Amino acid sequence: MGKIIIGTSSIPFGEIKKGNWPDCGPYFDRSLAFCQAWLNGEASFQLNTSGSTGTPKTIDISRRQMEISAAATGKFFDIEPKANLLCCLNTDMIAGKMMLVRGLEWDSIIYLQEPSGTPLADLDGLGTFGFVAMVPAQVENSLLYSIEKLKNIQHLIIGGAPLSHKLQKEISQLSCNAYQTYGMTETVSHIALAKITGLPPLIYRTLPGVTISTSKDSCLVINAPMANTTLTTNDKVTIPAANTFIWQGRADFTINSGGIKIQPEKLEVEIASTMEMHLPGKRYFIAGAPDEKWGQRVVLVIESAPISTAKREQIESEIAAKVKKHERPKNIYFIENFTETPSGKIKRIASLEQVLDKFI
């Protein structure tokens, strides 16, 4: 039978089922209480959505949905029983909870850590991890401080936020099998994965049992047993082949400037090398601000202190050479901190409203 390892404590699943574990602190107690409920056959769980595109809400997810999700991921990666798993995500959210469920269902050894920016830093002499899930910031820090340990991960999935072009290239040079995830709480974590090759675009492949199509507006429609219903998303995609798709961006972020539709996420990829060169590590996004003549105009919002006029003009010049005339940002705004969801995703609309309140 599998077990959960917390620091120097090794707790077999059988003991967790009985409620026998040492006092390890609130985060670990909540995580182990969830595992205890799972091992004792709890049929339904309440989970919070991230709120990345609206108000966070609580939804009921059935045990069967979570079982199907774990089985599909295990089949996709051909995970061996008793593999070492590292759970270093927030287990109050779907991504962290599903790491626990996978370990419980796969009879694994789960190394449970409280979420931090450097999840591999204190893990010495543990050999290879069969399966790990991280957010981009954790991977970025691990590349700086724990790259040899990162190379010892057999299968790495990365979610929670899009990967920068620079980070994709760095990950693609690792020996581990790394994928960007696509999913949400309503789909019980990911329903598709894209191999990180360093060459755009990312091509997502669905998990076993998942079928996809598009709506009349080219938005992704998901039929997935783990979702328990048909979901029409706000994600614009193209489907190059059966069971695969290329993500284009959010329909609700589309900019309509004088009748021309502009997809901000696509522009963000195109200007990524310029932003990384002049403002390395700074987060940014493209958005549509109100415009009396055109309805909306393209703006660039950067999480940074203001920069010199010369550097700003250099960025504007380089962007102008990369994108079409109507896609060029008409304004660049700087803001100290973006508004975020509890899981660390940028809340674009709320962050843009901060800018509009301050500058317009």
Side-chain angles (χ1 to χ4, degrees):
M1 181 174 283
K3 58 186 176 181
I4 293 181
I5 296 176
I6 302 172
T8 58
S9 299
S10 178
I11 316 165
F13 289 169
E15 292 303 303
I16 295 172
K17 184 175 182 178
K18 297 173 188 176
N20 295 333
W21 61 78
D23 182 10
C24 300
Y27 168 79
F28 296 107
D29 283 341
R30 292 196 306 273
S31 302
L32 292 170
F34 169 79
C35 293
Q36 181 187 20
W38 183 270
L39 291 166
N40 282 295
E42 187 74 34
S44 180
F45 299 88
Q46 287 195 328
L47 292 168
N48 296 317
T49 63
S50 67
S52 57
T53 58
T55 304
K57 59 185 177 181
T58 301
I59 60 174
D60 289 317
I61 300 292
S62 74
R63 179 189 188 90
R64 183 60 183 152
Q65 288 175 266
M66 299 171 91
E67 289 173 339
I68 291 169
S69 177
T73 297
K75 187 175 180 180
F76 186 98
F77 288 108
D78 194 21
I79 302 293
E80 296 180 0
K82 301 191 183 302
N84 285 356
L85 271 60
L86 172 62
C87 179
C88 54
L89 300 176
N90 182 359
T91 56
D92 291 332
M93 306 298 286
I94 186 63
K97 272 195 168 50
M98 281 308 303
M99 279 302 297
L100 295 176
V101 170
R102 292 176 194 124
L104 295 167
E105 287 294 289
W106 300 344
D107 199 25
S108 300
I109 299 169
I110 307 171
Y111 289 81
L112 179 59
Q113 283 198 332
E114 194 158 7
S116 76
T118 54
L120 302 176
D122 298 325
L123 299 176
D124 295 315
L126 297 180
T128 300
F129 281 105
F131 189 83
V132 180
M134 293 186 187
V135 297
Q138 290 176 320
V139 179
E140 191 165 14
N141 289 337
S142 296
L143 283 164
L144 290 173
Y145 306 115
S146 310
I147 189 165
E148 292 305 317
K149 296 174 186 177
L150 197 61
K151 291 176 182 177
N152 281 334
I153 295 172
Q154 188 176 2
H155 301 295
L156 173 65
I157 62 172
I158 307 166
L163 294 169
S164 69
H165 181 61
K166 176 177 177 288
L167 190 53
Q168 284 186 45
K169 289 181 69 175
E170 291 176 346
I171 293 167
S172 70
Q173 296 167 8
L174 296 173
S175 54
C176 65
N177 193 30
Y179 284 78
Q180 169 88 53
T181 67
Y182 174 88
M184 59 203 78
T185 306
E186 292 86 343
T187 59
V188 192
S189 189
H190 56 264
I191 55 91
L193 297 140
K195 176 73 173 174
I196 298 170
T197 63
L199 298 172
L202 288 172
I203 301 175
Y204 288 88
R205 183 156 57 96
T206 60
L207 293 184
V210 176
T211 59
I212 56 172
S213 59
T214 54
S215 68
K216 64 180 181 179
D217 299 321
S218 300
C219 288
L220 183 66
V221 179
I222 301 168
N223 262 295
M226 59 282 286
N228 215 22
T229 186
T230 299
L231 290 173
T232 300
T233 72
N234 279 326
D235 291 304
K236 285 188 171 290
V237 301
T238 56
I239 299 180
N243 303 317
T244 65
F245 65 90
I246 298 171
W247 184 76
Q248 302 290 338
R250 294 282 305 181
D252 42 355
F253 297 152
T254 300
I255 302 165
N256 187 338
S257 185
I260 299 174
K261 301 292 181 66
I262 301 166
Q263 205 61 49
E265 294 94 337
K266 180 174 177 290
L267 284 183
E268 289 160 12
V269 172
E270 292 177 7
I271 69 172
S273 59
T274 294
M275 298 301 295
E276 187 59 35
M277 178 182 295
H278 295 287
L279 292 167
K282 298 298 184 184
R283 296 193 297 178
Y284 62 93
F285 65 88
I286 297 283
D291 186 276
E292 289 186 6
K293 182 177 181 180
W294 303 110
Q296 287 183 304
R297 66 180 183 276
V298 178
V299 299
L300 171 60
V301 185
I302 304 171
E303 189 179 44
S304 167
I307 59 176
S308 68
T309 300
K311 179 180 269 193
R312 180 181 182 138
E313 288 176 350
Q314 182 66 30
I315 290 173
E316 289 174 336
S317 175
E318 291 186 22
I319 290 176
K322 290 176 182 286
V323 305
K324 298 173 183 176
K325 184 176 180 180
H326 64 270
E327 295 174 333
R328 297 172 190 170
K330 304 303 183 290
N331 305 96
I332 299 179
Y333 298 112
F334 296 89
I335 187 170
E336 185 175 349
N337 295 113
F338 288 149
T339 302
E340 296 182 341
T341 70
S343 59
K345 297 178 186 177
I346 299 172
K347 297 186 77 170
R348 291 178 178 238
I349 294 172
S351 296
L352 178 62
E353 286 175 350
Q354 286 185 71
V355 169
L356 299 181
D357 288 343
K358 185 175 181 180
F359 297 106
I360 298 177

